[in-house]
């Protein structure tokens, strides 16, 4: 019992047949070949699966694909050439903010949205914005540092 | 031990008669240990994997999954202790798209996967021993079908009385987790050094306390998974997240009853391990391999977060009874320690964990008289296993609380008291091991006290009677390099240089976040060969590389890279000789640096790296080598726990500053200062990353992480909502680490282990800081707001 769902993915129109209970994370990973979204918990608890839905960061594991019909989804693949993501990636690498890397795409998507929103890059604002993303490796210090530097370099 | 081995004379067609180059690993390790100037070692070289990971292009196990591959769903026990009277799979098999249901009786080889003791099946057989134990595997065409059918597997249990408390388990003989053992004691350890009665008789102050520490889940962000593909490359190939590909290979071979050479294991990028995937990884791999073997089709298993938390081994929960004495001059006289590890349903690596706790029980101090008894006790709970620190954080927590209490009774400053007892070269450990080199901890602690402003803060804090109270505490710890006691340990790697001058190193060390293959290994190869670092690639995590041991015990670089260094050094000797002929100088005068080959002091007499390699190919110089090195170990007598426990130790200290809200009970760690005496720092940026990550993981352990079990031993919080780990909002300020580079004679360039270190003193440092803030001794972890609240009430700390 499939349902046809159409949405914009990284600027392109896509139409997929999905199960009514299928989560967006599965549709992206298994049907559309989007591998930057990671499966860490499937319970909206870790942020590894973060994507942009109409520009705002959301957990793709808590959305049913049928819910997003007609909406716009962007993943790291779709924003990797933006100046914001380029700055973020290079600052993450420079700062040593990447260890196992499983959390990193989620952090970068979240940080991208933060920059786009034009939030004042105080440590408190950055920490608050990143609160929904868990990293078990780095202890966050270098991630916060990388995001701060990326925001500054974009200004 | 320095030995020179001169091989027989070789004949090279164009170069006449010359001596074979040096191949002895001792000579090569020593030669590079003495290097004074470095090209890339010691620099914060960026790791090769960072870009692809940041862009989401790095591949982890699940990224290799495709539709059409069978999906495996595990059926977990719903009883803590029961006999399995029967398993009815009929209904499950009738479900659509179900291919097979696999139970213990389907296993073609041995259903035995215990690492330390042969007590553990891959799939439960005869009985189940904890709520969550894997009983069957349901295999279906897709995940939904497997999930649905897994609910229709009917297991007929005959419940047995179960036991959850380790102290009770220690006493009882009527309820046995493993009947064949005859008690619930899986393993015992002991140390007898000197005479503790005599030691205590010389003590002017004695402190005696009981400490308790709790379980911890690794919570690596990537849950366990494995993909097994029959026939790929002529073998059964398993792509999995395991910390030791060769161990996964041998476990799979045992379960299937096939030669290890029929199995290939590849470990791609891993989303965190922390020890958990050292234990669970091979089992995950074996489940996928078993399914692929029985069905003849590619098979995939992926744990949900809940499944992961219910089944994989945890950091051990402990009860530690600790008595120690010191004389008025501030010298320790004796310790008497009993360590009880709740190992849960299986021993797993429990005996090794207990050994590590036992031999480290004193902390990094000289104690003339020591008695330590360890018990690894079975209970009907999810079993314990490897987790960053491996039995050491809990015992250092106890040892360091004792040190603070002794100092208090003696009226001494805690740092001062520690320094008086600290291990230094020439002193012996509690296993009576004489430390002859590489003991830099005293220097590290002195520096740390200075940079943290210890002495003044220690006086100023801890006196407030207001709502918010500050405290500062220290934890000092040590951690033996390599496996405990005389257990054999070795390193190996294979390196080859291709015709274009590009270099590949093959290692079984995995990349699980720590970055050794993608940073330090490359730096070591580049340094030793002199090749440009961009030309060096490390192929990691493959069982096709020579077995060089696991990526655990902080050995990815400290031991894992010895093989890399030796292999590179062998090739370098050959290249030096060739270059000396080409440039008309002696081999000692050859400099190879960032791709340029020249005569020392005469940069003009040079060729390029590429030219040198071309010459090597045309003149019969072998540009491939393995780097086997077997770590020399001394004798160890298990019956009294005396002898050489480790070839060397890494040392670590942490000072933590906290603020305790006496009304809410909340503890905030404001700042931590780490110090490390871990030999040569190959890559400061990566080392810093390990320290920061471990410090925060340790802070989470001490303050917030807590697994809750019900009266059937069922885990009640197998998710991230109720099992709380630190987020960006919780991180304290972390100071730049203090490094003392106390070189280890067998380490690559003198490096010792780093990965686990900063977690080990974290519980001690934070608990000691909270104790300082409140003026009340904390003896139990975790220090949650409730725990603090009860301490505040009990001691009437607020009016
Ligand atoms: S996988 Fe979606 S939040 Fe964890
Ligand atoms: S880098 Fe491993 S979880 Fe963040």
């Amino acid at each position: 019992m499939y349902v046809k769902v159409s949405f914009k993915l990284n600027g392109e129109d896509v139409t997929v047949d999905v199960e009514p209970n299928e989560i967006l994370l599965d549709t992206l990973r298994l049907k559309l070949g989007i591998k930057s979204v990671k499966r860490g918990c499937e319970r909206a608890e870790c942020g590894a699966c973060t994507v942009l839905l109409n520009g705002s960061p959301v957990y793709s594991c808590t959305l049913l694909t049928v819910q997003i019909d007609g909406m716009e989804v962007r993943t790291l693949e779709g924003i990797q050439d933006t100046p914001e993501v380029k700055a973020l990636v290079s600052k993450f690498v420079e700062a040593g903010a990447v260890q196992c890397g499983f959390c990193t795409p989620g952090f970068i998507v979240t940080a991208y949205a933060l920059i786009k929103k034009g939030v004042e890059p105080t440590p408190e604002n950055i920490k608050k914005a990143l609160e929904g993303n868990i990293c078990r490796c780095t202890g966050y210090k270098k991630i916060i540092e990388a995001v701060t530097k990326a925001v500054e370099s974009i200004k | 031990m320095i030995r020179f081995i001169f091989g027989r004379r070789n004949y090279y067609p164009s170069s006449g008669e010359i001596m074979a180059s040096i191949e002895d690993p001792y000579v090569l390790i020593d030669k590079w240990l003495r290097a004074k100037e470095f090209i890339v070692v010691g620099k914060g070289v960026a790791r090769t994997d960072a870009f692809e990971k940041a862009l989401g292009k790095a591949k982890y196990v699940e990224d290799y999954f495709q539709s059409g591959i069978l999906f495996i769903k595990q059926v977990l026990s719903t009883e803590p202790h029961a006999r399995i009277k029967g398993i009815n799979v009929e209904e499950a098999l009738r479900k659509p798209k179900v291919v097979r249901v696999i139970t213990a009786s389907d296993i073609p080889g041995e259903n035995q996967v215990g690492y330390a003791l042969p007590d553990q099946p891959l799939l439960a057989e005869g009985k189940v021993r904890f709520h969550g134990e894997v009983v069957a595997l349901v295999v279906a065409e897709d995940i939904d079908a497997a999930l649905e059918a897994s609910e229709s597997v009917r297991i007929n249990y005959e419940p047995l009385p179960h036991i959850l408390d380790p102290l009770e388990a220690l006493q009882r003989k009527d309820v046995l987790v493993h009947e064949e053992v005859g008690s619930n004691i899986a393993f015992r350890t002991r140390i007898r050094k000197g005479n503790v009665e005599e030691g205590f008789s010389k003590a002017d102050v004695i402190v005696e306390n009981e400490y308790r520490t709790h379980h911890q889940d690794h919570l690596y962000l990537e849950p366990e998974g494995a993909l097994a593909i029959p026939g790929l490359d002529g073998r059964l190939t398993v792509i999995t997240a395991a910390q030791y590909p060769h161990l996964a290979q041998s476990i799979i071979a045992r379960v299937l009853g096939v030669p290890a050479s029929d199995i290939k294991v590849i470990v791609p990028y891993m989303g965190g391990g922390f020890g958990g995937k050292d234990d669970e990884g091979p089992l995950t791999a074996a489940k996928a391999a078993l399914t692929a073997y029985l069905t003849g089709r590619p098979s995939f298993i992926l744990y949900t977060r809940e499944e992961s938390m219910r089944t994989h081994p945890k950091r051990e929960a402990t009860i530690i009874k600790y008595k120690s004495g010191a004389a008025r001059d501030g010298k320790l006289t004796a310790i008497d320690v009993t360590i009880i590890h709740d190992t849960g349903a299986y021993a797993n690596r429990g005996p090794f964990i207990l050994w590590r706790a036992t031999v480290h029980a004193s902390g990094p101090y000289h104690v003339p008289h020591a008695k330590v008894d360890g018990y690894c006790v079975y209970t009907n709970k999810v079993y314990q296993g490897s987790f960053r620190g491996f039995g050491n954080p809990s015992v250092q927590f106890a040892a360091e609380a004792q040190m603070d209490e002794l100092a208090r009774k003696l009226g001494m400053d805690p740092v001062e008291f520690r320094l008086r007892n600290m291990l230094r070269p020439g002193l012996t450990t509690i296993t009576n091991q004489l430390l002859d080199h590489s003991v830099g901890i005293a220097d590290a602690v002195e520096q740390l006290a200075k940079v943290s402003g210890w002495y003044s803060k220690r006086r100023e804090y801890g006196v407030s009677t207001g709502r918010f109270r500050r405290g500062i505490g220290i934890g000092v710890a040590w951690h033996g390099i390599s496996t405990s006691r005389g257990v054999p340990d070795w390193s190996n790697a294979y390196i080859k240089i291709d015709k274009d001058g590009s270099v590949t190193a093959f290692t079984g060390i995995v990349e699980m976040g720590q970055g050794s293959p993608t940073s330090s290994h490359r730096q070591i190869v580049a340094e030793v060969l002199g090749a440009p670092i961009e030309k060096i690639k490390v192929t990691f995590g493959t069982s096709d590389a020579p077995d060089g041991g696991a990526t655990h015990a902080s050995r990815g670089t400290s031991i894992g890279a010895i093989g890399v260094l030796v292999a590179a050094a062998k090739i370098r000797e050959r290249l030096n000789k060739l270059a000396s002929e080409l440039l008309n100088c002696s081999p000692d005068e050859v400099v190879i640096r960032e791709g340029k080959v020249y005569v020392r002091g005469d940069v003009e007499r040079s060729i390029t790296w590429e030219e040198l390699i071309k010459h090597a190919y045309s003149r019969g110089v072998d540009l491939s080598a393995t780097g086997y090195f077997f770590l020399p170990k001394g004798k160890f007598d298990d019956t009294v726990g005396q002898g050489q426990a480790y070839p060397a130790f890494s040392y670590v200290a942490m000072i933590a500053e906290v603020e305790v809200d006496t009304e809410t009970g909340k503890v905030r760690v404001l700042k931590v200062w780490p110090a490390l005496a871990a030999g040569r720092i190959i890559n400061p940026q990566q080392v810093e990353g390990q320290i920061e990550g471990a410090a925060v993981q340790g802070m989470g352990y001490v303050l917030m992480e807590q697994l809750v079990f019900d009266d059937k031993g069922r885990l009640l919080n197998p998710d991230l909502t109720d099992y709380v780990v630190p987020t960006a909002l919780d991180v304290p300020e972390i100071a730049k680490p203090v490094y003392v580079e106390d070189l280890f004679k067998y380490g690559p360039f003198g490096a010792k282990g780093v990965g686990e270190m900063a977690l080990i003193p974290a519980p001690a440092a934070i608990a000691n800081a909270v104790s300082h803030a409140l003026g009340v001794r904390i003896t139990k972890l975790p220090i949650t707001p409730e725990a603090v609240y009860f301490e505040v009430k009990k001691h009437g700390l607020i009016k």
Side-chain angles (χ1 to χ4, degrees):
Chain A
M1 214 220 359
Y2 285 113
V3 185
K4 248 190 204 348
V5 179
S6 301
F7 58 96
K8 221 182 194 60
L9 174 64
N10 295 330
E12 311 233 330
D13 292 317
V14 292
T15 301
V16 270
D17 291 327
V18 301
E19 305 266 3
N21 63 349
E22 185 170 316
I23 55 176
L24 180 59
L25 171 65
D26 275 336
T27 309
L28 291 173
R29 282 193 68 84
L30 305 177
K31 295 195 172 144
L32 297 166
I34 300 287
K35 304 285 189 185
S36 72
V37 287
K38 302 293 178 203
R39 189 191 308 272
C41 67
E42 294 178 285
R43 292 184 41 134
E45 294 169 336
C46 76
C49 65
T50 304
V51 299
L52 298 170
L53 185 65
N54 295 344
S56 299
V58 293
Y59 298 142
S60 64
C61 68
T62 45
L63 286 170
L64 294 178
T65 309
V66 292
Q67 289 175 298
I68 64 146
D69 194 64
M71 296 194 192
E72 196 203 335
V73 175
R74 278 196 295 163
T75 68
L76 184 49
E77 285 84 349
I79 53 175
Q80 65 180 33
D81 293 326
T82 62
E84 292 83 4
V85 170
K86 280 187 175 161
L88 282 162
V89 167
S90 83
K91 296 300 170 194
F92 266 67
V93 173
E94 253 171 64
V98 182
Q99 288 190 24
C100 83
F102 205 74
C103 69
T104 319
F107 272 98
I108 289 190
V109 171
T110 305
Y112 169 85
L114 170 86
I115 299 177
K116 278 292 187 193
K117 257 185 29 210
V119 178
E120 189 58 34
T122 62
E124 283 325 301
N125 284 343
I126 287 176
K127 286 184 193 176
K128 251 191 227 127
L130 301 179
E131 194 206 353
N133 291 71
I134 286 178
C135 174
R136 192 60 160 163
C137 300
T138 63
Y140 303 101
K141 182 182 167 187
K142 296 196 188 309
I143 294 180
I144 295 163
E145 207 177 289
V147 173
T148 309
K149 288 202 174 133
V151 177
E152 281 163 5
S153 78
I154 285 286
K155 270 210 242 164
Chain B
M1 179 172 32
I2 300 286
R3 296 176 292 146
F4 287 87
I5 295 178
F6 295 102
R8 72 188 159 82
R9 288 164 176 252
N10 288 341
Y11 291 92
Y12 290 92
S14 63
S15 56
E17 192 177 298
I18 48 163
M19 194 85 79
S21 63
I22 302 168
E23 302 271 312
D24 185 323
Y26 285 95
V27 177
L28 297 170
I29 291 167
D30 188 62
K31 177 172 177 174
W32 289 96
L33 180 69
R34 288 165 202 278
K36 291 271 174 304
E37 274 170 45
F38 299 100
I39 309 163
V40 282
V41 159
K43 313 259 156 62
V45 176
R47 46 196 288 171
T48 44
D49 50 347
F51 259 106
E52 50 177 335
K53 283 176 174 176
L55 286 169
K57 296 191 195 308
K59 283 190 162 193
Y60 302 81
V61 172
E62 198 203 326
D63 298 327
Y64 293 92
F65 174 71
Q66 289 172 353
S67 59
I69 292 176
L70 294 177
F71 193 89
I72 306 161
K73 184 73 195 166
Q74 313 185 76
V75 180
L76 308 186
S77 165
T78 50
E79 289 291 326
H81 197 195
R83 255 178 239 305
I84 301 172
K85 303 300 276 181
I87 303 175
N88 188 339
V89 301
E90 296 307 315
E91 194 187 332
L93 283 174
R94 276 199 302 272
K95 296 276 177 192
K97 299 194 205 167
V98 170
V99 173
R100 184 150 186 173
V101 178
I102 298 169
T103 62
S105 62
D106 296 310
I107 291 177
E110 270 180 76
N111 186 19
Q112 182 49 253
V113 294
Y115 297 124
L117 302 174
D119 67 352
Q120 187 183 342
L122 180 69
L123 299 175
E125 192 165 354
K127 73 177 196 173
V128 290
R129 297 181 176 86
F130 72 96
H131 193 292
E133 179 160 6
V134 184
V135 182
L137 306 173
V138 175
V139 187
E141 296 291 345
D142 62 45
I143 176 167
D144 291 328
L147 188 63
E148 202 197 316
S150 69
E151 282 155 15
S152 319
V153 174
R154 305 274 168 249
I155 303 165
N156 183 4
Y157 293 112
E158 178 193 312
L160 297 167
H162 63 279
I163 202 156
L164 300 177
D165 178 56
L167 290 180
E168 192 190 335
L170 205 50
Q171 304 305 331
R172 286 180 74 166
K173 289 265 165 26
D174 56 329
V175 181
L176 293 177
V177 181
H178 295 264
E179 288 85 359
E180 64 287 358
V181 178
S183 79
N184 288 312
I185 302 173
F187 195 76
R188 288 194 57 171
T189 56
R190 66 151 61 95
I191 282 178
R192 297 290 182 270
K193 182 193 187 189
N195 177 340
V196 284
E197 282 77 32
E198 188 193 322
F200 283 117
S201 74
K202 290 187 183 145
D204 295 304
V205 292
I206 288 179
V207 171
E208 199 167 354
N209 272 321
E210 183 178 301
Y211 300 90
R212 288 190 180 235
T213 68
H214 59 303
H215 294 95
Q216 184 181 22
D217 193 281
H218 308 74
L219 235 294
Y220 23 71
L221 212 55
E222 173 207 34
E224 298 85 346
L227 170 63
I229 308 162
L232 183 70
D233 195 14
R235 293 173 284 179
L236 174 59
T237 297
V238 185
I239 300 171
T240 189
Q243 290 176 226
Y244 187 2
H246 301 82
L247 176 65
Q249 180 191 31
S250 69
I251 291 281
I252 294 167
R254 189 199 294 168
V255 168
L256 299 185
V258 303
S261 53
D262 284 358
I263 307 296
K264 171 174 175 164
V265 172
I266 300 171
V267 180
Y269 287 125
M270 195 193 298
F274 314 117
K277 287 175 184 165
D278 198 21
D279 296 342
E280 191 65 20
L283 311 191
T284 315
K287 290 168 204 165
L290 175 64
T291 308
Y293 183 86
L294 293 175
T295 61
R297 291 181 54 185
S299 306
F300 179 64
I301 186 167
L302 183 69
Y303 295 18
T304 61
R305 179 59 60 188
E306 176 178 343
E307 228 172 344
S308 167
M309 293 185 75
R310 283 198 191 289
T311 57
H312 82 244
K314 307 288 180 265
R315 183 187 298 290
E316 73 289 348
T318 74
I319 300 161
I320 300 171
K321 297 175 190 177
Y322 208 126
K323 178 180 172 189
S324 40
R328 211 159 295 134
D329 64 358
K331 292 276 190 168
L332 289 164
T333 61
I335 58 168
D336 184 347
V337 191
T338 303
I339 303 167
I340 296 164
H341 282 182
D342 178 357
T343 196
Y346 295 103
N348 184 33
R349 283 192 168 86
F352 306 142
I353 296 168
L354 185 65
W355 260 123
R356 192 165 272 274
T358 303
V359 299
H360 288 85
S362 57
Y365 307 109
H366 177 253
V367 185
H369 305 281
K371 172 169 171 277
V372 187
D373 287 289
Y375 300 86
C376 180
V377 182
Y378 289 125
T379 58
N380 293 111
K381 288 202 289 286
V382 61
Y383 51 108
Q384 75 159 358
S386 320
F387 194 153
R388 203 177 210 170
F390 208 70
N392 209 4
S394 47
V395 84
Q396 302 300 301
F397 158 68
E400 287 294 90
Q402 291 286 114
M403 292 301 278
D404 267 17
E405 290 306 303
L406 287 170
R408 191 174 57 82
K409 283 196 165 178
L410 288 166
M412 286 179 73
D413 175 85
V415 167
E416 220 27 72
F417 175 58
R418 283 171 171 80
L419 284 170
R420 255 182 229 197
N421 292 285
M422 209 149 273
L423 287 170
R424 295 164 201 264
L427 292 177
T428 57
T429 68
I430 52 168
T431 71
N432 219 11
Q433 173 176 347
L434 179 70
L435 298 174
D436 57 351
H437 79 298
S438 193
V439 193
I441 184 63
D443 187 5
V445 168
E446 274 165 26
Q447 290 188 43
L448 196 62
K450 235 175 257 158
V451 298
S452 62
W454 167 268
Y455 292 103
S456 56
K457 286 178 182 164
R458 186 74 190 184
R459 277 192 303 273
E460 284 161 30
Y461 301 166
V463 290
S464 158
T465 51
R467 173 175 168 184
F468 294 98
R469 301 186 189 178
R470 282 207 178 186
I472 189 164
I474 186 166
V476 188
W478 58 332
H479 199 66
I481 299 306
S482 173
T483 41
S484 303
R485 305 163 293 144
V487 175
D489 194 11
W490 63 89
S491 185
N492 207 350
Y494 167 68
I495 295 183
K496 71 178 173 91
I497 305 178
D498 279 309
K499 288 197 195 77
D500 63 353
S502 61
V503 182
T504 314
F506 294 83
T507 173
I509 294 298
V510 305
E511 169 27 45
M512 55 184 185
Q514 91 289 15
S516 30
T518 56
S519 61
S520 66
H521 287 200
R522 284 180 76 236
Q523 286 169 273
I524 287 166
V525 176
E527 188 73 47
V528 171
L529 287 178
I533 194 156
E534 316 78 64
K535 287 211 181 286
I536 291 154
K537 185 176 169 66
V538 177
T539 296
F540 55 82
T542 165
S543 64
D544 279 353
D547 185 343
T551 310
H552 65 197
S554 304
R555 72 191 289 294
T557 297
S558 64
I559 309 286
I562 301 176
V564 174
L565 177 131
V566 170
K570 284 182 187 172
I571 298 175
R572 174 64 191 262
E573 293 297 319
R574 299 172 202 160
L575 288 175
N576 272 7
K577 199 144 54 73
L578 173 65
S580 74
E581 291 163 25
L582 295 169
L583 299 171
N584 231 329
C585 63
S586 84
D588 294 345
E589 291 172 305
V590 174
V591 180
I592 310 181
R593 203 187 156 93
E594 289 161 319
K596 200 165 163 157
V597 185
Y598 58 92
V599 181
R600 189 180 313 284
D602 187 357
V603 193
E604 297 308 306
R605 266 160 78 198
S606 74
I607 53 172
T608 66
W609 168 260
E610 287 78 5
E611 283 165 345
L612 179 67
I613 299 306
K614 264 202 203 106
H615 281 292
Y617 266 90
S618 60
R619 288 168 177 239
V621 178
D622 181 7
L623 293 184
S624 65
T626 53
Y628 184 70
F629 181 67
F630 189 76
L631 225 65
K633 292 197 169 183
K635 285 204 167 51
F636 191 90
D637 180 352
D638 279 357
T639 59
V640 287
Q642 297 288 281
Q644 199 202 36
Y646 303 96
F649 295 81
S650 272
Y651 301 87
V652 54
M654 182 181 285
I655 287 177
E657 188 172 330
V658 302
E659 184 177 77
V660 184
D661 182 340
T662 51
E663 261 169 42
T664 63
K666 193 166 163 51
V667 174
R668 269 205 320 141
V669 179
L670 304 173
K671 183 162 182 179
V672 298
W673 291 263
L676 197 61
R680 177 97 56 206
I681 303 298
I682 307 271
N683 188 319
Q685 188 184 59
Q686 294 308 313
V687 170
E688 228 173 80
Q690 286 303 304
I691 290 175
E692 290 165 8
V696 172
Q697 203 171 43
M699 183 196 77
Y701 177 56
V702 183
L703 298 181
M704 47 183 96
E705 299 177 31
Q706 189 170 25
L707 293 165
V708 184
F709 298 92
D710 72 4
D711 57 7
K712 279 182 95 182
R714 183 170 67 115
L715 184 60
L716 291 178
N717 54 343
D719 57 70
L720 276 156
T721 302
D722 297 311
Y723 183 82
V724 186
V725 299
T727 72
L729 286 175
D730 301 307
V731 290
E733 195 182 326
I734 305 174
K736 277 267 173 216
V738 166
Y739 296 129
V740 173
E741 296 190 279
D742 51 353
L743 305 188
F744 165 41
K745 62 184 169 188
Y746 301 130
F749 293 97
K752 298 190 281 185
V754 167
E756 298 165 278
M757 295 315 143
L759 197 146
I760 299 168
I766 296 170
N768 284 345
V770 173
S771 301
H772 183 230
L774 297 177
V776 166
R777 171 49 46 194
I778 300 291
T779 57
K780 192 169 180 281
L781 302 181
I783 313 171
T784 57
E786 297 91 283
V788 173
Y789 173 81
F790 285 118
E791 289 291 339
V792 166
K793 267 196 108 165
K794 187 167 111 198
H795 297 274
L797 297 182
I798 38 177
K799 304 285 159 324

